[in-house]
Structures are given as C-alpha cells and as structure tokens.
C-alpha cells in the first residue's frame, strides 16, 4: 500500500469514527445540543476552582486530543521506527497535558518522566541497535480474514462504547433537555503527590508492592533474555584468565 | 461534564488506532508502540472517570498501568533484541521459532 494513501485513509478513518460516534451520540438518550448550554450549565461551579473557563478547557482538550490522535496515526503509519517513536513521544506528551487539564498533576509528571522519558529512551535505543528499517508490507497481507474480523470487532467495540461514554452522567429533565451533571469541584490538593500517596500507601499497599516485584522480575527477565550466550564461553573465560595471569 | 464525555470517546478512538496498528504493522517495534498507545488510552479513561467522580482511585490504577507498561516494554524489547540477534529481522511474521 502506498504510504501517502495509508496516511490519508487512516486520517479519514479516524475522522469518520469520530463522526459516527457523534451520530451515535445524537441517537443516544442524551444529545449534545452544542457546547454552549453545557458550558453555561457548569460555568458557575468551575469558575471558582479553575483559572481556565470551561469553554477554554473544552477547546484545549479538543485540540490536545486531536494532536494526540494525529500522533497516534503517524506512530502506526510511519515507515521509519525512529519517526514512529518520536510521534509516540508527542502522543504521550499531549496525554500528559490532558492529565493536567483533569487536575491529575502527579500522574502528568509521572507520564512525562516515565513514558516519554524512560520508555521512549528504551525504544529509541533498541530502534537504533536493530539497524535499518526493512522493507515491510503494510496492510492486511497475511491472514486477511482474521485481521478484518479483528478490526471490525475493534471498530464495533468503539461504536458500542462511545454512546455509553457520551451518556455518562447525563439525564433528560422534564422539559426534555439534556442535563449534564456538573463536574464535581475539587480542592486544589486533588491529584497531588500527597493525595495519591495516601491512597497508594494505605488501601492499595499490596498492589503497590506487587508492582515493585513485577518490575524486579521484568528487569531480571530482560537481562536473562538478552544475555549473550557464546559457544566458546569456557574457552573465552580460560583465555581471559590466562591473559590476566600474564598481566 | 461534556469535556469528560468527549475525552472518553477520544480515548476510545486512540485505543482503536492502537489495535489497528497491531493488526496492520509487521515491524515488531511498531507493534510494541501500538500496545503502548492502547495502554495510554486506558490511562486516559481511568483519569477521566476519576475526575468525573471526583475521587483519586483512578490515579492509583494509572500509576500501576504505567509501571506495567514499563515492564512490558523492557521484556518485549529484550525479546526483540534477542530474536534480532539470531534471525536478523524484526518482522513479526518471521518470528516462528516456537514452531521448529
């Protein structure tokens, strides 16, 4: 498949999915009757706890989420894995900023540090070490039926899930208007290190420790898998010992 | 709340993009990146619901998912390096050493 065609079709597919989702939303019990009514609905509550107005936050979220999706598309579409890794960094970064919009300050910092920092360094390192990108047939080259079924299930999942998402915490009042429950106002401490730490070290202490064991196992496993196994290990060791003895 | 609703749909679309990446790409590294995209979409959903409910439970789950993603990336890339060393390829279709 031609690369440019792939990009265009992926972008069109994403746009179509969003469009279909919004149509599904229009059929769901809760139609979004434009942005303004909802913005007005919770403007009073959020204005006290936020510096950004709800409408500005909404559009910031939309722009960031759009960038996120474009980054995702270029991640899966680019031929060169280095380009894909950089696009993935952009995607993760946009997600981090969206976390900030949602008052998840600690998670946003962790997202940038761990994901965009550590994991991506790992990826780029491996991409560099495995050399040239090889010729690769993009598309449904083998097992086309199973792939089509899988893709269809993924899209169907999206179409089933998005109306549920869009009607989340929305009801219709007696006059037939859609009412969104206001986002609960949160204190300025919401989502900071103290808040998350209290959760992790009280109720979720065991999962937290289990994660540390998982990381340890993963590190040991990674080292074991990549260890160089030479046929002439004994010979090499003997030679090294001999040279050390001479020195 | 409109923002949360739309954000959830965006996260779902990002997840589907990840699924499509796993389906259509043959380069193992990019397949792993697509898995990261899917995990990231799950994170976004957790944080959005957490904000909508006004509690902080989803943040804990997100931290664990991030740690899980780190472990998954480390092991997955280690396997890629090991297979590349023996097969000189990163094409998923050629990773059939269990069959022989």
């Amino acid at each position: 498949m031609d690369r440019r065609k792939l990009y265009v079709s992926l972008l069109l597919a994403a746009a179509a999915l969003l469009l279909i989702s919004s149509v599904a939303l229009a059929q769901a019990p809760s139609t979004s009757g434009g942005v303004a009514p909802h913005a007005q609905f919770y403007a009073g509550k959020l204005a006290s706890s936020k510096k950004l107005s709800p409408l500005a936050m909404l559009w910031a979220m939309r722009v960031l989420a759009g960038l996120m999706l474009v980054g995702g598309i270029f991640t899966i579409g680019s031929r060169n894995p280095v380009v894909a890794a950089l696009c993935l960094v952009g995607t993760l970064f946009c997600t981090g900023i969206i976390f900030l919009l949602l008052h998840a300050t600690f998670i946003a910092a962790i997202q940038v540090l761990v994901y965009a920092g550590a994991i991506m360094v790992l990826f780029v390192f491996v991409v560099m070490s495995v050399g040239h990108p090889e010729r690769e047939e993009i598309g449904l080259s083998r097992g086309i039926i199973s792939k089509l079924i899988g893709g269809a299930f993924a899209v169907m999942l999206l179409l089933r899930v998005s109306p549920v998402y869009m009607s989340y915490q929305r009801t219709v009042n007696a006059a037939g208007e859609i009412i969104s429950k206001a986002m609960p106002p949160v204190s300025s401490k919401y989502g900071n290190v103290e808040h998350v730490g209290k959760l992790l070290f009280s109720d979720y202490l065991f999962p937290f420790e289990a994660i540390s064991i998982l990381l340890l196992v993963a590190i040991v496993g990674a080292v074991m898998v990549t260890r160089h196994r030479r046929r002439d290990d004994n010979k090499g060791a003997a030679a090294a010992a001999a040279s050390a003895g001479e020195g | 709340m409109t923002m949360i609703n739309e954000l959830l749909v965006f996260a779902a679309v990002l997840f589907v993009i990840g699924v499509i990446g796993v389906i259509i790409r043959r380069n193992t590294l990019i397949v792993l990146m697509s898995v990261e995209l899917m995990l990231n979409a799950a994170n976004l959903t957790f944080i959005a619901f957490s904000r909508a409910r006004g509690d902080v439970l989803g943040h804990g789950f997100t931290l664990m998912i991030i740690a899980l993603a780190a472990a998954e990336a480390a092991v997955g890339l280690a396997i890629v390096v090991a297979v590349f060393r023996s097969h000189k390829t990163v094409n998923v279709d050629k990773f059939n050493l269990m069959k022989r």
Side-chain angles (χ1 to χ4, degrees):
Chain A
M1 200 189 295
D2 186 16
R3 187 73 40 165
R4 193 170 297 165
K5 270 187 210 158
L6 177 75
Y7 281 140
V8 172
S9 54
L10 280 175
L11 277 170
L12 283 179
L17 285 178
L18 277 175
L19 200 67
I20 294 170
S21 305
S22 56
V23 170
L25 139 80
Q27 288 164 352
S30 52
T31 351
S32 85
V35 179
H38 301 301
Q40 279 169 5
F41 182 75
Y42 60 74
K45 267 193 177 166
L46 282 187
S48 57
S49 66
K50 291 230 190 325
K51 293 194 177 77
L52 279 175
S53 78
L55 197 61
M57 263 185 55
L58 184 67
W59 278 101
M61 186 280 290
R62 281 179 181 161
V63 169
L64 285 167
L67 283 176
M68 181 183 82
L69 292 187
V70 170
I73 286 169
F74 277 83
T75 302
I76 70 169
S78 57
R79 183 194 306 276
N80 193 339
V82 178
V83 177
L86 290 180
C87 291
L88 186 55
V89 171
T91 305
L92 300 173
F93 208 82
C94 289
T95 317
I97 302 174
I98 292 176
F99 287 170
L100 274 187
L101 283 182
L102 294 171
H103 273 213
T105 46
F106 177 56
I107 300 293
I110 291 295
Q111 168 93 4
V112 173
L113 280 178
V114 174
Y115 250 128
I119 296 182
M120 291 323 297
V121 167
L122 203 62
F123 263 105
V124 173
F125 196 77
V126 171
V127 166
M128 299 289 184
S129 71
V130 301
H132 288 297
E134 42 200 297
R135 292 292 299 171
E136 173 198 358
E137 222 175 298
I138 291 202
L140 310 160
S141 52
R142 285 174 60 182
I144 183 162
I145 296 177
S146 55
K147 284 175 180 174
L148 279 182
I149 291 175
F153 267 113
V155 173
M156 203 176 79
L157 177 78
L158 177 68
L159 294 186
R160 293 293 296 169
V161 152
S162 48
V164 179
Y165 277 165
M166 291 309 283
S167 58
Y168 176 66
Q169 296 206 343
R170 278 188 184 174
T171 47
V172 181
N173 67 5
E177 293 166 339
I178 310 305
I179 294 192
S180 294
K181 271 173 75 180
M183 231 191 279
V186 290
S187 72
S188 56
K189 282 185 179 172
Y190 174 82
N192 68 1
V193 184
E194 184 190 350
H195 201 174
V196 180
K198 271 184 182 155
L199 177 87
L200 275 184
F201 289 106
S202 59
D203 292 346
Y204 290 86
L205 185 61
F206 179 71
F208 183 77
E209 299 292 342
I211 282 289
S212 65
I213 294 175
L214 173 82
L215 281 174
L216 179 70
V217 170
I219 292 168
V220 174
V223 171
M224 282 301 291
V225 168
T226 48
R227 203 169 48 122
H228 241 320
R229 272 189 225 93
R230 287 213 196 87
R231 293 271 156 75
D232 51 354
D233 245 0
N234 291 331
K235 234 190 283 176
S243 65
E246 283 168 13
Chain B
M1 197 51 71
T2 320
M3 178 177 157
I4 298 290
N5 296 123
E6 289 183 15
L7 196 52
L8 291 169
V9 175
F10 275 121
V13 173
L14 186 66
F15 186 89
V16 171
I17 288 175
V19 172
I20 292 172
V22 171
I23 288 173
I24 68 171
R25 290 306 296 252
R26 302 269 57 83
N27 190 331
T28 314
L29 292 164
I30 294 185
V31 170
L32 282 175
M33 287 182 205
S34 305
V35 174
E36 299 289 336
L37 276 186
M38 287 194 273
L39 288 169
N40 202 44
N43 280 345
L44 197 53
T45 310
F46 265 121
I47 295 287
F49 273 124
S50 195
R51 177 69 186 85
R53 290 170 50 82
D55 66 11
V56 82
L57 203 60
H59 294 209
F61 279 100
T62 303
L63 267 183
M64 285 165 200
I65 292 176
I66 290 176
L68 198 82
E72 175 255 329
V75 173
L77 290 173
I79 291 173
V80 170
V81 168
V83 174
F84 181 77
R85 202 175 278 154
S86 63
H87 284 59
K88 300 289 171 220
T89 180
V90 287
N91 191 325
V92 184
D93 286 340
K94 299 197 176 118
F95 283 10
N96 53 4
L97 63 170
M98 297 281 260
K99 279 191 195 160
R100 280 182 265 156

